[in-house]
Amino acid sequence: MTEQEALHQRFNKVWRNLPGWGTLAAVNHTSVGRRFMLTGAIFFLIGGLLALLIRMQLALPGQEFLNPDVYSQVFTMHGTVMMFLFAIPILEGAAIYLIPKMIGARDLIFPRLGALGYYCYLFGGIIVISSLLLGMAPSSGWFMYTPLSSTEFSPGPGSDFWLLGITFVEISSVSAGIELVVAILRSRTPGMTLSKMPIFCWYILVTALMIVFGFPPLILASILLELERAAGMPFFDVAAGGDPVLWQHLFWLFGHPEVYIIFLPAAGIVSTILPVFTGRPLVGYRWVVMAVILTGFISFGLWAHHMFTVGIPQLAQAFFSMASMLVAIPTAIQVFAWLATLWAGRVVYSLPMLWVFGFLFVFVLGGLTGVMLAMVPFNWQVHDTHFVVAHLHYVLVGGMLFPLIGGLYYWLPHFSGRMPSERLGRWGFGLVFVGFNATFFLMHLTGLLGMPRRVDTYETGFGWDWLNMLSSVGSFVIAMGVAIIIIDVLLHFRFGRKAGNNPWNADTLEWTTGTPPTMYNFASLPEINSRHPLWDNPELLQSIPAGEHGLTQIEHGRRETFGTDAITGKLKEVMLLPTNSWLPLLVASSLAVVCISLLTRSYLAAVVITIVAAIFLFRWSWENGGHPLAAPLGDKEPVEAPLQSRTLDGSGLWGMVITLLADGALFLALLFGWLYLWAVAPNWTLPDESLVSLPVMAWSGAFLTFATWWYCRAVKQLKAGDDTGLQTRFWVVTAAGAIHLVLLVGVTLVSPLAITELAHDAVLLVMLMFLIFHSSISVIATALQALRVRYGYVSKELPYEPVVLQPLWLFSLATFWCSVASFLLLPIAWGAA
Amino acid sequence: MKTLRAHPLHLFAGPLLWAIWYVVLYSGQALGCETAPPPANAGVWTWLNGLLLLHTLVFAVVLLYLTWLAHRSTPAESGNGRFILKVSTGVYLVATIAVLAIGLQSVIYPPCV
Amino acid sequence: MDIKSIAKVTGAATVLLLSGCSGAFSTLDPAGPAAGSVLPLTLAMIIVALAVFVGLIVLCVFAVRRNSKDISDAEVQRLQNRWIIAGGIALPTVAITTLLAFGIPIGHSLLPLPFQEGEVMRVDVKARQWFWRVSYPERKIELTDEIHIPVNTPVDFHITSEDVIHSFWAPRLGGKIDAIPGRTNVVRLEADEVGEYRGLCTEYCGQGHTAMQFKVIAHSAEDFEEWLLQQEDSDKND
């Protein structure tokens, strides 16, 4: 056995998944990422079959192949599956798989969170799909507009399946988003400054942050609608002072960024592949970074362009119209950066490049019709016609599926160590490309000829017949192409020729992890001084697996990777990564049971299982820091840098802050809903005096303020290296927080809120529940901290955790007083003025 | 002479300001039309359009100033810092353009129709 | 191929194209000023979009074909700035400005602003699953799925809904507007010629969505007056 093999054996023993069923306890990002992508691909096939059903129904006028009920379920599920169960998860899966390998880390920062995300996605997806098999799928469109999706007009459980299942999947998306942000910022290999990151990481960083801010509005909207359906709280009911258009705002506040959340990672794949096959670094790296950042922001300012026909004043429409057109600038910057790269380099025609060319062709066309649709008078004509269907498929299939399959072919040798068949691959591309354009190009004309969306059939004689026939034929050509690609991929595992280590002569670090990759990615973590490490320093391919770089000790049996400064990439600490764990599966399973109990309206069971899930989660948080299952003090400390549980600025703090950003976005969405209903809803009524006792709220807030202040003082002392009396201080904070919580719960229970009659009261209840939820977590977590001090898991040598909890207290405090000011005091002040 | 340090905040401060401006613009327009809508045939020159325009110009001037500062501070930095300031300059510039392009619509349309 | 046959082919193609553009729901065959003012915008945008598209594809093919000898980094730097500033910033800015120069006046002309003198004729439309209830204020006329209007007269349609969200669209007359419970939206439409125009619901509103269609019947001024009298007579007789 060579030295390198021995090293591999030692690392593999620590990093491998458990054998047999134990593989379900895997937390490793390579396993989790693969599972995400495989599951996403299966959902893609399901969504594709639904699309074929739609096209069969519309192939000829006056068909009754599907009845209107089934048809509505089919088109709703097609959109839902493709958007929520395919596009986002599969791209997240790709990011989860690739990002640590590109930035030179051995795993993602929060491996258990990644595994939890996968199981939430899997179970949520199964719940949503099962509705289809039970014949009770949601049927009011993937956008679920109220009041069509409300109990009155959708009495069956279809909407509940959507709301609960998709929210479950969104938990997974948000957790992956948080994990990716922190991983990219804090676990790059030493020397990789922001400006030396592979361009793909910039795309994923921005995308992940967009997920963090973009998903909470939809999560809130789903919670509100489910509360309306299950408990009769009338947020979207005009008669009770709600407004159905609030749903549209919240939905598109998520829905438009979502389009870019899907597009950006795919564009990142293009920006990664193009330089490899032109042999030139990406032209205009800085410009592209700038464009990506701008896209991330501007895409949040376009949501109302889905709502040009709801009767918003023209001036407001003009704002959104202009913002929609402006997003063409960052997109055009990227397109011209790609063209300039093609110009400067020498193009190698290979399968991934074919898909990149297909992407450019299709996506540019979709972008151009997008600018057309931003034009308000034109939008009034073609909105909700097949013109929009054509546009969105050009943007989403062109902007996401084409780069994704390009990426699949590019990284296939990395997954399997074998090359795909060039001939089959070309056939697959040709059929998908031709079929796609046959299906959707003339569909623009179908729309201009007035064919609306979501009709289950149509009469003959409007000029729509041959266009629909053509689209249907085209859709089956796409299906053939997809089938060939699947065959190609399946066959290559058996017949593909061996790929070798870096078959495309790529520039990024993931190609040094072996083909197929080892479970620990890198036996040694290199110092990086270049944006294109493998081009400038090809010997890394040998020296990394040979263990010639950093962090090679493994005898302690811990999974470790380097933690570095977010900006400069300077080495700061050694991060301890958790090993295989059943907790993610247990938590996700119990949440799935909660989901099913809510669906079957057995609320008592739901409450009990929620408590079980919470216990699992707190157990999860228990196995950290100085816990014997983590890294107790004095257990073969690393030599390069301190273990992060011995530091103050660890990844947990970053994870907490990013989570609170998502949480804050949810709170802002709630605040927006409140102010929106107040300003716009025709039957909104404010009571003459506050329904919630202000003195009690003031007392409750006083205790919360004290608890937070005392907690911050304790942390300050701990940071100064003094842990005397720490446990007592935490108990004092727990007690003060508990009093605050009791007062808050009490005031919620005694307030005379007519939650089923008035939207106003219903929103107040949601606000109070939000506060109770956050305060409870703060209090319980602090009590656990006090216990951990007692057991010696937290001390001045192990100061990591109290620092993590501090932002949560500050967040609870800020949202509490913000809520008091805007939900309770502002109406009084307004009434007095 | 005032210069900017190469803080990563500058990478997104421009669009962040844009976002704040945008929220105020949109909600200001909506609230203005809810509480005291100018008559439909009053045309463009109403108090509401005036306020929106003023709001736009203030933000545009601030963003333009930041663009200029970032641009001027670039040569002093090197490596990662230079990268941050160069990208920031572009980001500030496009944020300025976005504020102007969107905000100037308020001299074209009547506010509440 | 001689000139005659080219002319024949072109002629045939034009006829085919024009006949392909007509249809009871075609936005390409406008019959009123609202739809009529959008059509040139549509065509202009299609032409500009196609021109940009073809330009980009040609550029892409050219860039791929060029198969350069090694260019120096300085040249790439120049290339980058030139291409990205010209293509990434200038091109969209110019294209957007041109579009707006076309689009803003059209947007203005579609606004339902009050008239200088007199009142605009008003028709109330209430959408329900799955039909349209039409009424004329101050007259006791109630119709279902059928709207009668005088020709060459702007009519303000006041649209609302009594249950879920629908959307009111008569493509040959003009753009659509949503019917939302609790709100009333106004769209101003006008028919250029006497005749029957079809309309439909474009916001998915449940299983009867497909069948939720209506007709707008434009009468000459005299015929319309007569129709009004007739309707009110029959109302009295009931």
Side-chain angles (χ1 to χ4, degrees):
Chain A
M1 195 154 61
T2 65
E3 205 172 317
Q4 187 170 332
E5 276 166 24
L7 188 68
H8 170 74
Q9 293 299 337
R10 287 202 301 278
F11 264 93
N12 205 37
K13 208 174 125 213
V14 175
W15 282 88
R16 71 185 165 204
N17 296 342
L18 299 175
W21 285 103
T23 191
L24 294 178
V27 294
N28 184 288
H29 79 103
T30 301
S31 304
V32 171
R34 270 192 200 134
R35 289 171 195 182
F36 256 105
M37 288 187 279
L38 184 66
T39 316
I42 291 168
F43 282 124
F44 169 70
L45 296 181
I46 296 174
L49 283 177
L50 294 170
L52 290 181
L53 290 177
I54 296 175
R55 282 322 317 172
M56 267 155 87
Q57 168 72 6
L58 293 180
L60 293 168
Q63 287 214 106
E64 284 169 24
F65 168 65
L66 303 174
N67 66 38
D69 178 29
V70 175
Y71 184 79
S72 63
Q73 295 186 26
V74 168
F75 76 69
T76 301
M77 289 296 283
H78 168 67
T80 305
V81 169
M82 286 301 197
M83 290 300 236
F84 293 105
L85 302 183
F86 161 62
I88 294 178
I90 203 167
L91 289 168
E92 280 185 339
I96 287 171
Y97 180 89
L98 287 171
I99 286 293
K101 299 185 173 74
M102 281 187 166
I103 59 177
R106 290 197 178 127
D107 201 343
L108 283 172
I109 294 284
F110 309 123
R112 292 180 296 188
L113 191 62
L116 172 71
Y118 172 70
Y119 287 121
C120 285
Y121 162 52
L122 179 69
F123 295 152
I126 290 174
I127 288 171
V128 172
I129 292 291
S130 68
S131 71
L132 197 61
L133 301 176
L134 296 169
M136 46 172 81
S139 61
S140 31
W142 82 280
F143 43 88
M144 292 288 286
Y145 274 8
T146 54
L148 183 61
S149 55
S150 310
T151 324
E152 191 185 347
F153 302 101
S154 299
S159 301
D160 302 315
F161 271 106
W162 193 98
L163 294 166
L164 295 167
I166 294 301
T167 303
F168 205 18
V169 175
E170 278 160 4
I171 297 174
S172 127
S173 302
V174 174
S175 61
I178 293 165
E179 192 179 17
L180 287 167
V181 172
V182 182
I184 293 173
L185 288 178
R186 290 291 272 109
S187 67
R188 303 193 301 267
T189 199
M192 191 183 274
T193 60
L194 275 185
S195 57
K196 295 196 180 91
M197 276 203 313
I199 191 73
F200 186 72
C201 300
W202 274 105
Y203 278 97
I204 296 297
L205 179 62
V206 172
T207 309
L209 282 167
M210 288 175 71
I211 291 174
V212 166
F213 288 104
F215 275 62
L218 181 61
I219 294 179
L220 176 76
S222 301
I223 293 172
L224 295 186
L225 183 51
E226 187 51 36
L227 284 173
E228 176 172 306
R229 289 179 57 87
M233 293 163 74
F235 303 102
F236 306 106
D237 180 5
V238 185
D243 186 21
V245 180
L246 173 62
W247 170 270
Q248 298 191 17
H249 279 290
L250 291 174
F251 185 85
W252 292 118
L253 205 51
F254 144 83
H256 203 82
E258 140 119 344
V259 174
Y260 289 88
I261 288 170
I262 291 172
F263 165 65
L264 282 181
I269 294 176
V270 173
S271 290
T272 307
I273 294 180
L274 256 181
V276 174
F277 291 101
T278 51
R280 268 271 173 199
L282 180 68
V283 175
Y285 176 91
R286 272 200 308 261
W287 285 99
V288 173
V289 170
M290 177 189 118
V292 175
I293 294 174
L294 284 164
T295 311
F297 275 88
I298 294 179
S299 63
F300 278 86
L302 322 178
W303 80 90
H305 78 205
H306 297 264
M307 300 166 62
F308 280 158
T309 61
V310 302
I312 300 170
Q314 266 253 288
L315 178 59
Q317 298 197 11
F319 297 151
F320 286 101
S321 162
M322 195 62 197
S324 311
M325 292 185 185
L326 281 174
V327 87
I329 291 180
T331 311
I333 289 175
Q334 291 174 69
V335 169
F336 276 87
W338 294 326
L339 289 180
T341 311
L342 286 172
W343 181 279
R346 196 169 300 177
V347 180
V348 179
Y349 298 91
S350 61
L351 270 180
M353 273 311 269
L354 266 186
W355 289 94
V356 169
F357 289 132
F359 153 78
L360 280 172
F361 184 95
V362 174
F363 178 73
V364 166
L365 211 51
L368 289 167
T369 52
V371 174
M372 291 172 72
L373 280 167
M375 203 68 189
V376 178
F378 177 70
N379 187 290
W380 286 342
Q381 274 292 22
V382 295
H383 176 70
D384 268 337
T385 68
H386 273 68
F387 188 92
V388 177
V389 181
H391 158 72
L392 78 91
H393 283 92
Y394 264 84
V395 175
L396 290 177
V397 177
M400 184 267 175
L401 189 69
F402 276 69
L404 183 76
I405 300 183
L408 171 72
Y409 276 117
Y410 176 69
W411 281 295
L412 206 50
H414 192 273
F415 300 139
S416 66
R418 290 171 185 273
M419 305 298 277
S421 146
E422 192 80 9
R423 178 183 291 181
L424 273 180
R426 276 169 198 269
W427 269 99
F429 170 76
L431 286 172
V432 171
F433 183 77
V434 170
F436 175 81
N437 286 294
T439 309
F440 293 106
F441 187 73
L442 284 177
M443 202 183 271
H444 293 109
L445 181 59
T446 322
L448 288 171
L449 291 179
M451 180 161 170
R453 294 175 78 172
R454 303 174 186 117
V455 290
D456 56 80
T457 186
Y458 52 95
E459 297 161 52
T460 186
F462 304 132
W464 303 345
D465 305 15
W466 68 280
L467 292 167
N468 274 297
M469 183 41 112
L470 181 71
S471 292
S472 294
V473 171
S475 68
F476 280 85
V477 178
I478 303 178
M480 275 155 52
V482 171
I484 289 183
I485 293 166
I486 294 172
I487 292 171
D488 188 15
V489 170
L490 289 180
L491 288 181
H492 105 285
F493 282 105
R494 180 94 176 70
F495 301 106
R497 70 189 156 76
K498 291 268 186 210
N501 256 345
N502 187 2
W504 311 113
N505 188 24
D507 59 332
T508 38
L509 282 178
E510 80 269 24
W511 295 99
T512 63
T513 59
T515 48
T518 55
M519 294 305 280
Y520 49 86
N521 293 343
F522 307 95
S524 60
L525 299 178
E527 171 117 17
I528 291 297
N529 300 309
S530 146
R531 204 179 281 162
H532 312 282
L534 292 195
W535 283 352
D536 296 340
N537 204 357
E539 58 271 26
L540 285 174
L541 271 172
Q542 286 82 42
S543 63
I544 288 177
E548 291 172 21
H549 304 274
L551 206 63
T552 46
Q553 328 75 309
I554 190 72
E555 296 68 30
H556 44 57
R558 294 190 299 256
R559 296 188 178 186
E560 288 178 343
T561 194
F562 277 144
T564 46
D565 184 82
I567 318 292
T568 60
K570 285 205 178 72
L571 179 60
K572 283 180 76 169
E573 71 266 274
V574 171
M575 290 187 174
L576 172 69
L577 303 170
T579 179
N580 299 317
S581 165
W582 291 96
L583 283 165
L585 181 59
L586 289 171
V587 173
S589 318
S590 37
L591 286 178
V593 177
V594 171
C595 201
I596 293 167
S597 354
L598 289 175
L599 267 175
T600 53
R601 314 236 151 157
S602 22
Y603 297 116
L604 188 65
V607 172
V608 173
I609 313 286
T610 309
I611 293 170
V612 173
I615 292 171
F616 283 136
L617 279 168
F618 283 115
R619 171 70 209 174
W620 173 329
S621 76
W622 193 252
E623 293 174 10
N624 275 320
H627 189 275
L629 288 176
L633 282 176
D635 180 22
K636 299 194 192 99
E637 306 276 332
V639 289
E640 283 97 340
L643 261 181
Q644 79 161 348
S645 52
R646 282 68 164 155
T647 65
L648 290 163
D649 176 33
S651 55
L653 178 64
W654 288 69
M656 175 59 84
V657 171
I658 306 288
T659 310
L660 291 178
L661 288 179
D663 215 343
L666 189 92
F667 182 73
L668 284 180
L670 180 63
L671 199 58
F672 165 78
W674 167 260
L675 295 174
Y676 177 86
L677 288 180
W678 186 355
V680 174
N683 299 323
W684 176 262
T685 42
L686 284 176
D688 296 331
E689 54 188 63
S690 177
L691 297 173
V692 181
S693 161
L694 287 173
V696 180
M697 285 302 273
W699 275 109
S700 176
F703 277 103
L704 174 63
T705 311
F706 170 77
T708 310
W709 174 67
W710 203 249
Y711 190 88
C712 291
R713 253 183 53 136
V715 170
K716 203 172 163 193
Q717 246 169 311
L718 184 65
K719 279 184 176 171
D722 175 11
D723 63 357
T724 46
L726 188 62
Q727 197 192 153
T728 325
R729 268 185 234 121
F730 282 157
W731 285 122
V732 171
V733 173
T734 309
I739 298 173
H740 146 74
L741 197 56
V742 168
L743 288 173
L744 192 59
V745 172
V747 84
T748 307
L749 291 176
V750 300
S751 296
L753 297 174
I755 53 164
T756 54
E757 277 123 56
L758 290 174
H760 169 273
D761 294 15
V763 179
L764 275 191
L765 182 67
V766 173
M767 177 274 284
L768 289 166
M769 297 308 289
F770 182 92
L771 297 181
I772 290 173
F773 178 76
H774 287 86
S775 296
S776 314
I777 293 183
S778 309
V779 169
I780 296 174
T782 308
L784 291 176
Q785 282 300 307
L787 283 176
R788 292 175 73 79
V789 176
R790 185 161 152 195
Y791 289 120
Y793 304 157
V794 170
S795 63
K796 62 173 185 274
E797 290 83 21
L798 295 160
Y800 173 82
E801 293 167 32
V803 183
V804 176
L805 216 50
Q806 191 174 7
L808 181 62
W809 275 107
L810 292 169
F811 180 84
S812 305
L813 185 71
T815 49
F816 182 89
W817 287 118
C818 248
S819 302
V820 170
S822 46
F823 288 82
L824 303 178
L825 297 179
L826 191 61
I828 298 175
W830 186 266
Chain B
M1 201 169 85
K2 193 170 166 40
T3 52
L4 295 181
R5 280 195 315 120
H7 196 279
L9 179 73
H10 294 299
L11 288 174
F12 59 90
L16 195 62
L17 282 173
W18 168 84
I20 294 167
W21 165 83
Y22 197 65
V23 169
V24 174
L25 179 83
Y26 176 57
S27 50
Q29 184 269 340
L31 288 177
C33 288
E34 266 326 299
T35 48
N41 48 7
V44 172
W45 300 110
T46 65
W47 65 272
L48 187 51
N49 293 56
L51 275 185
L52 295 178
L53 186 64
L54 185 71
H55 170 60
T56 300
L57 292 179
V58 168
F59 268 80
V61 167
V62 170
L63 281 167
L64 200 61
Y65 176 65
L66 285 166
T67 312
W68 179 69
L69 270 186
H71 180 67
R72 201 179 57 180
S73 316
T74 308
E77 297 275 347
S78 61
N80 202 42
R82 194 182 174 86
F83 167 81
I84 288 176
L85 282 180
K86 275 212 161 184
V87 174
S88 304
T89 308
V91 172
Y92 276 127
L93 182 67
V94 179
T96 317
I97 294 173
V99 164
L100 283 174
I102 297 171
L104 288 179
Q105 309 280 322
S106 55
V107 301
I108 294 175
Y109 292 97
C112 303
V113 185
Chain C
M1 203 191 272
D2 59 13
I3 294 182
K4 255 186 197 167
S5 59
I6 292 179
K8 253 188 213 162
V9 171
T10 327
T14 317
V15 171
L16 193 71
L17 208 66
L18 285 180
S19 66
C21 290
S22 64
F25 294 104
S26 176
T27 64
L28 302 175
D29 184 17
S37 62
V38 178
L39 183 61
L41 180 69
T42 307
L43 297 177
M45 287 199 298
I46 290 176
I47 290 166
V48 172
L50 281 178
V52 172
F53 177 69
V54 171
L56 279 175
I57 295 302
V58 168
L59 194 62
C60 182
V61 171
F62 209 58
V64 173
R65 282 285 177 91
R66 227 178 62 92
N67 242 347
S68 56
K69 297 271 170 283
D70 285 333
I71 320 180
S72 74
D73 286 350
E75 276 172 291
V76 171
Q77 189 69 31
R78 273 202 300 280
L79 183 80
Q80 156 193 329
N81 291 334
R82 216 178 295 148
W83 280 45
I84 291 179
I85 291 171
I89 297 177
L91 176 74
T93 312
V94 171
I96 292 170
T97 317
T98 322
L99 274 182
L100 286 176
F102 270 100
I104 288 173
I106 294 172
H108 260 286
S109 70
L110 296 176
L111 288 180
L113 291 173
F115 279 5
Q116 297 293 341
E117 288 163 40
E119 296 263 306
V120 192
M121 184 184 158
R122 168 173 170 171
V123 176
D124 286 344
V125 180
K126 286 197 172 104
R128 282 205 67 99
Q129 278 181 331
W130 290 280
F131 59 89
W132 306 88
R133 198 176 283 166
V134 181
S135 61
Y136 293 73
E138 292 160 37
R139 292 178 197 272
K140 284 187 178 161
I141 303 176
E142 290 260 356
L143 299 169
T144 302
D145 290 346
E146 207 176 281
I147 308 170
H148 293 258
I149 58 166
V151 80
N152 288 324
T153 314
V155 180
D156 277 359
F157 292 85
H158 288 242
I159 316 274
T160 188
S161 165
E162 295 178 336
D163 43 38
V164 302
I165 297 175
H166 306 268
S167 193
F168 177 90
W169 189 36
R172 293 190 60 206
L173 299 182
K176 60 183 71 67
I177 195 95
D178 287 357
I180 301 171
R183 303 178 179 215
T184 303
N185 283 326
V186 183
V187 61
R188 181 170 296 169
L189 300 175
E190 178 181 340
D192 286 338
E193 279 170 48
V194 172
E196 193 181 293
Y197 303 99
R198 311 251 327 234
L200 37 74
C201 174
T202 50
E203 186 63 70
Y204 182 69
C205 57
Q207 293 179 19
H209 173 58
T210 309
M212 195 170 157
Q213 300 194 354
F214 60 91
K215 280 179 188 146
V216 180
I217 297 152
H219 302 277
S220 66
E222 308 87 70
D223 287 356
F224 184 69
E225 285 304 317
E226 202 170 304
W227 176 83
L228 282 178
L229 289 175
Q230 243 176 31
Q231 289 292 311
E232 281 176 301
D233 279 349
S234 68
D235 196 53
K236 269 174 214 151
N237 294 343
D238 284 346

